[in-house]
Amino acid sequence: DPHVKEVDNLTLRRFLRARGHAVGKASAMLLKFVAWRREAVPGGVMLAELVRTELSHEMAYMAGADRAGRPVMLAFPAKHFSATRDMAGFKRYVVYLFDAMCARIPRGQEKFLCVVDLKGWGYANCDVRAYIAAIEILQSYYPERLGKALMIHVPYLFMKAWKVVQPFIDANTRDKFVFVDDKSLEETLRREMEDGQLPEMYGGKMPIVPLE
């Protein structure tokens, strides 16, 4: 595929790391990515106009940076409702979201931190198909971009849904999901972020901004 020539060296290295430096497997993964990107984002940029409905739900927010300098994203799955979800639109939104996060990653870093706040999550929000689709996009087309996903305020019901999702997550990605209990929440967040970068809603000083 001649479009592979447009891929920079840092991206090539991420695909190699994602496949344990097995060149054949990394090459196959890269070719799949290039073909997918050409079809999913034909103009090279996912336009906000294409995900206006999803953006209006304010399911994701931009925050500051963690102690390693990686940008922080906050996700609120309780604002997602399976009954009104359009899968094609949701997938476009996920691409828009990951592109936005990758664009915020500073020189010298390659990953971002995600805080997934499940407060208020219930049956109406449960959408296993959407979760699997998002994770598939993440691990197949944005390898080595997620540094860590802190899962907080996790209700018992969500763990049942997670058991269905888990088999679809590769081992490398699965290890990045960290479930934090309420007792150690503040300690965990402050270990990851300085007070000036910790979102106000968790006791810090950083205001959060909805993804636009």
Side-chain angles (χ1 to χ4, degrees), residues 80-202:
H80 171 90
F81 294 92
S82 58
T84 57
R85 181 263 298 144
D86 171 70
M87 183 58 82
F90 178 77
K91 287 182 178 180
R92 287 194 297 270
Y93 173 74
V94 170
V95 173
Y96 184 86
L97 174 62
F98 288 152
D99 280 357
M101 287 307 300
C102 291
R104 293 184 63 221
I105 297 174
R107 183 180 294 275
Q109 292 290 343
E110 294 187 83
K111 302 181 180 184
F112 63 87
L113 174 72
C114 182
V115 177
V116 182
D117 192 334
L118 288 147
K119 191 172 185 178
W121 187 94
Y123 279 110
N125 312 114
C126 185
D127 195 348
V128 170
R129 286 187 62 211
Y131 302 156
I132 292 173
I135 289 173
E136 176 61 25
I137 290 172
L138 172 67
Q139 63 189 14
S140 296
Y141 308 127
Y142 295 85
E144 296 296 300
R145 282 304 201 182
L146 176 65
K148 187 182 296 183
L150 299 176
M151 312 292 284
I152 68 174
H153 297 139
V154 183
Y156 173 74
L157 176 62
F158 179 80
M159 296 310 300
K160 291 187 175 182
W162 188 250
K163 286 183 179 179
V164 179
V165 174
Q166 263 194 320
F168 296 90
I169 311 175
D170 63 42
N172 186 41
T173 304
R174 192 184 308 129
D175 290 342
K176 296 176 181 178
F177 286 86
V178 179
F179 287 81
V180 182
D181 59 50
D182 291 346
K183 292 181 180 179
S184 59
L185 176 57
E186 183 177 356
E187 177 188 353
T188 300
L189 292 177
R190 291 188 179 279
R191 186 166 60 244
E192 296 289 344
M193 291 167 270
E194 296 178 357
D195 189 59
Q197 297 294 318
L198 183 66
E200 293 174 334
M201 62 191 303
Y202 303 126

Side-chain angles (χ1 to χ4, degrees), residues 18-29:
R19 288 296 178 263
H21 293 89
V23 176
K25 292 181 179 179
S27 297
M29 185 184 188

